[in-house]
Amino acid sequence: FYFVIVGDGTKFDMIFNWSNKKKPTNLKLLKTQSKEKYDELLELSDVGLIFLDKRFTIPNIPSRLLSYLEKSMPILAATDEITDLRIIIEDAQCGYWVKSGNLTEFNYYLNKLLNKEQLNLLGKNSRILIEKDFQIEKTYNLIINKIPYGKK
């Protein structure tokens, strides 16, 4: 495995310090990139990783999910139990979800992603998901049909 972590979120300094101390040979840590550079990195990647703090108490779906789905990437998410991300991933069969902090289960699913056939199937399901449920027209219609125009 080779991990590329992009961003400068709340844990960047902690990861940066750990990386400088341990000097892992399979990790590249990058600050936030332009959209173009980020998309180039995704083109070279096999799996989209999503990590959220297990203490979150409100639903949270990171926008990078859409970037991963657009690139037909399988998702491996380690998040809180409140987010709907688990349901989305499991229902679409486009990746795996584990509770944040469960390293045994995370490593189990990470190793499952070494299977090229499994990787391809989950990636195809990611593409199906974005085309089926995340199109602008569908979202627009869902919103517009819920707004009671002209009613007081």
Side-chain angles (χ1 to χ4, degrees):
F1 298 105
Y2 190 87
F3 296 91
V4 178
I5 300 174
V6 179
D8 50 6
T10 58
K11 300 295 183 185
F12 181 85
D13 289 338
M14 180 187 76
I15 296 168
F16 179 80
N17 292 335
W18 176 87
S19 177
N20 278 343
K21 182 179 178 183
K22 298 289 185 179
K23 307 256 188 258
T25 58
N26 65 338
L27 173 68
K28 180 72 174 173
L29 186 58
L30 301 169
K31 289 260 187 182
T32 299
Q33 301 290 299
S34 69
K35 173 76 168 127
E36 294 79 22
K37 290 285 185 191
Y38 183 71
D39 286 344
E40 287 176 23
L41 283 169
L42 290 184
E43 290 291 337
L44 301 171
S45 302
D46 294 318
V47 176
L49 300 175
I50 297 176
F51 300 104
L52 296 175
D53 193 303
K54 65 183 173 188
R55 297 170 294 177
F56 280 1
T57 58
I58 57 171
N60 182 354
I61 298 179
S63 61
R64 68 183 156 275
L65 172 66
L66 294 177
S67 297
Y68 297 159
L69 298 177
E70 280 181 330
K71 300 294 183 190
S72 303
M73 295 171 69
I75 311 298
L76 178 55
T79 73
D80 58 276
E81 294 179 294
I82 303 298
T83 183
D84 294 336
L85 191 56
R86 175 185 193 171
I87 296 166
I88 292 168
I89 291 170
E90 290 178 350
D91 284 356
Q93 297 178 18
C94 64
Y96 303 111
W97 175 91
V98 302
K99 183 177 178 183
S100 200
N102 187 335
L103 293 178
T104 301
E105 194 172 5
F106 182 84
N107 285 329
Y108 169 78
Y109 286 122
L110 192 60
N111 283 298
K112 281 187 79 157
L113 292 168
L114 288 173
N115 179 306
K116 197 69 165 169
E117 287 179 22
Q118 185 69 7
L119 197 68
N120 290 334
L121 175 64
L122 296 172
K124 286 178 185 176
N125 289 343
S126 286
R127 188 69 199 176
I128 290 168
L129 174 62
I130 196 166
E131 290 175 0
K132 180 176 158 255
D133 289 341
F134 289 96
Q135 294 302 309
I136 292 171
E137 298 83 16
K138 181 173 183 171
T139 305
Y140 168 84
N141 287 326
L142 285 170
I143 293 169
I144 217 68
N145 290 329
K146 297 290 182 187
I147 298 174
Y149 286 104
K151 297 180 182 176
K152 295 185 180 193

Short mmCIF file of all heavy atoms in Angstrom, two decimals, residues 43 65-75 92-95 119-135:
data_model
loop_
_atom_site.label_atom_id
_atom_site.label_comp_id
_atom_site.label_asym_id
_atom_site.label_seq_id
_atom_site.Cartn_x
_atom_site.Cartn_y
_atom_site.Cartn_z
N GLU A 43 -6.69 10.31 -10.31
CA GLU A 43 -6.53 9.47 -11.51
C GLU A 43 -5.50 8.37 -11.27
O GLU A 43 -5.56 7.31 -11.88
CB GLU A 43 -6.12 10.31 -12.72
CG GLU A 43 -7.20 11.21 -13.26
CD GLU A 43 -8.34 10.47 -13.93
OE1 GLU A 43 -8.15 9.31 -14.37
OE2 GLU A 43 -9.44 11.03 -13.99
N LEU A 65 -16.34 12.50 -1.21
CA LEU A 65 -17.06 11.31 -1.66
C LEU A 65 -17.42 11.44 -3.13
O LEU A 65 -17.24 10.51 -3.92
CB LEU A 65 -18.32 11.08 -0.82
CG LEU A 65 -19.24 9.97 -1.32
CD1 LEU A 65 -18.56 8.61 -1.21
CD2 LEU A 65 -20.56 9.99 -0.58
N LEU A 66 -17.94 12.61 -3.52
CA LEU A 66 -18.33 12.81 -4.92
C LEU A 66 -17.14 12.71 -5.86
O LEU A 66 -17.25 12.15 -6.95
CB LEU A 66 -19.04 14.15 -5.09
CG LEU A 66 -20.38 14.29 -4.38
CD1 LEU A 66 -20.95 15.68 -4.57
CD2 LEU A 66 -21.36 13.23 -4.85
N SER A 67 -16.00 13.23 -5.45
CA SER A 67 -14.79 13.14 -6.28
C SER A 67 -14.40 11.67 -6.48
O SER A 67 -14.04 11.26 -7.59
CB SER A 67 -13.63 13.88 -5.63
OG SER A 67 -13.91 15.25 -5.53
N TYR A 68 -14.47 10.88 -5.43
CA TYR A 68 -14.14 9.46 -5.53
C TYR A 68 -15.13 8.73 -6.44
O TYR A 68 -14.73 7.91 -7.27
CB TYR A 68 -14.14 8.80 -4.15
CG TYR A 68 -13.11 9.31 -3.18
CD1 TYR A 68 -13.29 9.13 -1.82
CD2 TYR A 68 -11.97 9.98 -3.59
CE1 TYR A 68 -12.35 9.58 -0.90
CE2 TYR A 68 -11.03 10.44 -2.68
CZ TYR A 68 -11.23 10.24 -1.34
OH TYR A 68 -10.31 10.70 -0.43
N LEU A 69 -16.42 9.03 -6.28
CA LEU A 69 -17.43 8.38 -7.10
C LEU A 69 -17.26 8.75 -8.57
O LEU A 69 -17.40 7.89 -9.45
CB LEU A 69 -18.84 8.74 -6.62
CG LEU A 69 -19.21 8.32 -5.20
CD1 LEU A 69 -20.61 8.81 -4.84
CD2 LEU A 69 -19.09 6.81 -5.01
N GLU A 70 -16.97 10.02 -8.83
CA GLU A 70 -16.76 10.46 -10.22
C GLU A 70 -15.62 9.70 -10.90
O GLU A 70 -15.66 9.46 -12.09
CB GLU A 70 -16.41 11.95 -10.25
CG GLU A 70 -17.58 12.87 -10.13
CD GLU A 70 -17.17 14.32 -10.19
OE1 GLU A 70 -16.04 14.67 -9.79
OE2 GLU A 70 -17.99 15.12 -10.65
N LYS A 71 -14.62 9.35 -10.13
CA LYS A 71 -13.45 8.64 -10.66
C LYS A 71 -13.62 7.12 -10.58
O LYS A 71 -12.68 6.37 -10.79
CB LYS A 71 -12.18 9.04 -9.91
CG LYS A 71 -11.86 10.52 -10.00
CD LYS A 71 -11.51 10.95 -11.40
CE LYS A 71 -11.12 12.42 -11.40
NZ LYS A 71 -11.00 12.96 -12.72
N SER A 72 -14.84 6.66 -10.26
CA SER A 72 -15.14 5.22 -10.17
C SER A 72 -14.23 4.50 -9.18
O SER A 72 -13.73 3.41 -9.44
CB SER A 72 -15.04 4.56 -11.55
OG SER A 72 -15.90 5.18 -12.46
N MET A 73 -14.01 5.14 -8.03
CA MET A 73 -13.12 4.57 -7.03
C MET A 73 -13.92 3.87 -5.92
O MET A 73 -14.93 4.40 -5.46
CB MET A 73 -12.28 5.67 -6.39
CG MET A 73 -11.34 6.35 -7.35
SD MET A 73 -10.55 7.80 -6.63
CE MET A 73 -9.49 7.03 -5.41
N PRO A 74 -13.46 2.72 -5.48
CA PRO A 74 -14.03 2.12 -4.27
C PRO A 74 -13.74 3.04 -3.08
O PRO A 74 -12.75 3.76 -3.07
CB PRO A 74 -13.27 0.81 -4.12
CG PRO A 74 -12.62 0.56 -5.42
CD PRO A 74 -12.40 1.89 -6.06
N ILE A 75 -14.60 2.96 -2.09
CA ILE A 75 -14.47 3.79 -0.90
C ILE A 75 -14.16 2.90 0.30
O ILE A 75 -14.78 1.85 0.48
CB ILE A 75 -15.79 4.55 -0.59
CG1 ILE A 75 -16.34 5.25 -1.83
CG2 ILE A 75 -15.62 5.49 0.59
CD1 ILE A 75 -15.47 6.30 -2.42
N ALA A 92 -25.01 0.80 -1.91
CA ALA A 92 -24.50 0.86 -3.28
C ALA A 92 -23.43 -0.20 -3.55
O ALA A 92 -23.04 -0.40 -4.70
CB ALA A 92 -23.93 2.25 -3.56
N GLN A 93 -22.96 -0.85 -2.50
CA GLN A 93 -21.89 -1.85 -2.61
C GLN A 93 -20.69 -1.28 -3.37
O GLN A 93 -20.15 -1.91 -4.28
CB GLN A 93 -22.41 -3.13 -3.27
CG GLN A 93 -23.50 -3.80 -2.47
CD GLN A 93 -24.05 -5.03 -3.14
OE1 GLN A 93 -23.44 -5.61 -4.04
NE2 GLN A 93 -25.22 -5.46 -2.71
N CYS A 94 -20.31 -0.06 -2.95
CA CYS A 94 -19.19 0.61 -3.62
C CYS A 94 -17.96 0.73 -2.72
O CYS A 94 -17.05 1.50 -3.02
CB CYS A 94 -19.63 1.99 -4.12
SG CYS A 94 -20.08 3.15 -2.83
N GLY A 95 -17.96 -0.01 -1.64
CA GLY A 95 -16.82 0.04 -0.74
C GLY A 95 -17.16 -0.56 0.60
O GLY A 95 -18.11 -1.34 0.73
N LEU A 119 -11.83 -4.80 -6.44
CA LEU A 119 -11.56 -3.38 -6.65
C LEU A 119 -12.35 -2.86 -7.84
O LEU A 119 -12.99 -1.80 -7.77
CB LEU A 119 -10.05 -3.20 -6.86
CG LEU A 119 -9.47 -1.82 -6.70
CD1 LEU A 119 -9.53 -1.37 -5.25
CD2 LEU A 119 -8.03 -1.81 -7.19
N ASN A 120 -12.33 -3.60 -8.94
CA ASN A 120 -13.05 -3.19 -10.15
C ASN A 120 -14.56 -3.19 -9.95
O ASN A 120 -15.25 -2.26 -10.40
CB ASN A 120 -12.68 -4.09 -11.33
CG ASN A 120 -11.26 -3.85 -11.80
OD1 ASN A 120 -10.70 -2.78 -11.62
ND2 ASN A 120 -10.66 -4.87 -12.40
N LEU A 121 -15.08 -4.21 -9.28
CA LEU A 121 -16.53 -4.28 -9.04
C LEU A 121 -17.00 -3.11 -8.18
O LEU A 121 -17.99 -2.44 -8.49
CB LEU A 121 -16.88 -5.61 -8.37
CG LEU A 121 -18.35 -5.76 -7.95
CD1 LEU A 121 -19.26 -5.74 -9.16
CD2 LEU A 121 -18.54 -7.03 -7.15
N LEU A 122 -16.29 -2.85 -7.09
CA LEU A 122 -16.66 -1.74 -6.21
C LEU A 122 -16.55 -0.41 -6.95
O LEU A 122 -17.38 0.49 -6.77
CB LEU A 122 -15.79 -1.74 -4.96
CG LEU A 122 -15.94 -2.95 -4.03
CD1 LEU A 122 -14.89 -2.91 -2.94
CD2 LEU A 122 -17.33 -3.04 -3.45
N GLY A 123 -15.53 -0.27 -7.80
CA GLY A 123 -15.37 0.94 -8.58
C GLY A 123 -16.52 1.16 -9.56
O GLY A 123 -17.02 2.27 -9.71
N LYS A 124 -16.94 0.10 -10.21
CA LYS A 124 -18.10 0.19 -11.12
C LYS A 124 -19.35 0.60 -10.35
O LYS A 124 -20.15 1.41 -10.82
CB LYS A 124 -18.33 -1.14 -11.84
CG LYS A 124 -17.31 -1.42 -12.91
CD LYS A 124 -17.55 -2.77 -13.55
CE LYS A 124 -16.44 -3.08 -14.53
NZ LYS A 124 -16.55 -4.42 -15.12
N ASN A 125 -19.51 0.05 -9.16
CA ASN A 125 -20.67 0.40 -8.34
C ASN A 125 -20.62 1.86 -7.89
O ASN A 125 -21.66 2.51 -7.74
CB ASN A 125 -20.78 -0.54 -7.14
CG ASN A 125 -21.20 -1.93 -7.56
OD1 ASN A 125 -21.71 -2.16 -8.66
ND2 ASN A 125 -20.98 -2.89 -6.69
N SER A 126 -19.42 2.39 -7.69
CA SER A 126 -19.28 3.81 -7.36
C SER A 126 -19.80 4.67 -8.50
O SER A 126 -20.52 5.65 -8.29
CB SER A 126 -17.81 4.17 -7.10
OG SER A 126 -17.39 3.67 -5.87
N ARG A 127 -19.43 4.31 -9.71
CA ARG A 127 -19.87 5.07 -10.88
C ARG A 127 -21.39 4.99 -11.03
O ARG A 127 -22.06 5.98 -11.33
CB ARG A 127 -19.17 4.56 -12.13
CG ARG A 127 -19.41 5.40 -13.32
CD ARG A 127 -18.73 6.74 -13.15
NE ARG A 127 -19.31 7.70 -14.07
CZ ARG A 127 -18.99 8.96 -14.11
NH1 ARG A 127 -18.08 9.44 -13.29
NH2 ARG A 127 -19.54 9.75 -14.96
N ILE A 128 -21.95 3.81 -10.82
CA ILE A 128 -23.40 3.62 -10.90
C ILE A 128 -24.09 4.51 -9.87
O ILE A 128 -25.09 5.16 -10.16
CB ILE A 128 -23.78 2.13 -10.71
CG1 ILE A 128 -23.32 1.33 -11.93
CG2 ILE A 128 -25.27 1.98 -10.46
CD1 ILE A 128 -23.38 -0.18 -11.73
N LEU A 129 -23.54 4.56 -8.66
CA LEU A 129 -24.13 5.37 -7.60
C LEU A 129 -24.18 6.84 -7.97
O LEU A 129 -25.22 7.49 -7.82
CB LEU A 129 -23.36 5.18 -6.28
CG LEU A 129 -23.79 6.07 -5.12
CD1 LEU A 129 -25.24 5.81 -4.73
CD2 LEU A 129 -22.86 5.87 -3.93
N ILE A 130 -23.08 7.39 -8.46
CA ILE A 130 -23.08 8.83 -8.78
C ILE A 130 -24.03 9.12 -9.94
O ILE A 130 -24.71 10.14 -9.94
CB ILE A 130 -21.67 9.38 -9.03
CG1 ILE A 130 -21.72 10.91 -8.94
CG2 ILE A 130 -21.11 8.91 -10.35
CD1 ILE A 130 -20.38 11.58 -8.83
N GLU A 131 -24.09 8.23 -10.91
CA GLU A 131 -24.98 8.46 -12.04
C GLU A 131 -26.45 8.32 -11.66
O GLU A 131 -27.31 9.00 -12.21
CB GLU A 131 -24.63 7.51 -13.18
CG GLU A 131 -23.30 7.85 -13.83
CD GLU A 131 -22.86 6.85 -14.89
OE1 GLU A 131 -23.59 5.86 -15.15
OE2 GLU A 131 -21.79 7.07 -15.48
N LYS A 132 -26.73 7.45 -10.70
CA LYS A 132 -28.11 7.19 -10.29
C LYS A 132 -28.63 8.21 -9.27
O LYS A 132 -29.75 8.70 -9.39
CB LYS A 132 -28.19 5.78 -9.70
CG LYS A 132 -29.55 5.36 -9.22
CD LYS A 132 -29.51 3.91 -8.74
CE LYS A 132 -30.63 3.63 -7.80
NZ LYS A 132 -30.24 3.54 -6.41
N ASP A 133 -27.81 8.54 -8.28
CA ASP A 133 -28.33 9.30 -7.14
C ASP A 133 -27.73 10.69 -6.93
O ASP A 133 -28.21 11.42 -6.08
CB ASP A 133 -28.11 8.50 -5.85
CG ASP A 133 -29.03 7.30 -5.76
OD1 ASP A 133 -30.04 7.25 -6.48
OD2 ASP A 133 -28.72 6.39 -4.97
N PHE A 134 -26.70 11.05 -7.66
CA PHE A 134 -26.05 12.32 -7.39
C PHE A 134 -25.98 13.24 -8.60
O PHE A 134 -25.04 14.01 -8.75
CB PHE A 134 -24.63 12.09 -6.83
CG PHE A 134 -24.62 11.54 -5.44
CD1 PHE A 134 -24.50 10.18 -5.23
CD2 PHE A 134 -24.75 12.38 -4.34
CE1 PHE A 134 -24.49 9.65 -3.94
CE2 PHE A 134 -24.73 11.87 -3.06
CZ PHE A 134 -24.61 10.51 -2.86
N GLN A 135 -26.99 13.17 -9.45
CA GLN A 135 -27.04 14.06 -10.60
C GLN A 135 -27.78 15.34 -10.24
O GLN A 135 -28.74 15.33 -9.46
CB GLN A 135 -27.73 13.37 -11.78
CG GLN A 135 -26.94 12.19 -12.32
CD GLN A 135 -25.53 12.58 -12.76
OE1 GLN A 135 -25.36 13.52 -13.52
NE2 GLN A 135 -24.53 11.87 -12.27
#
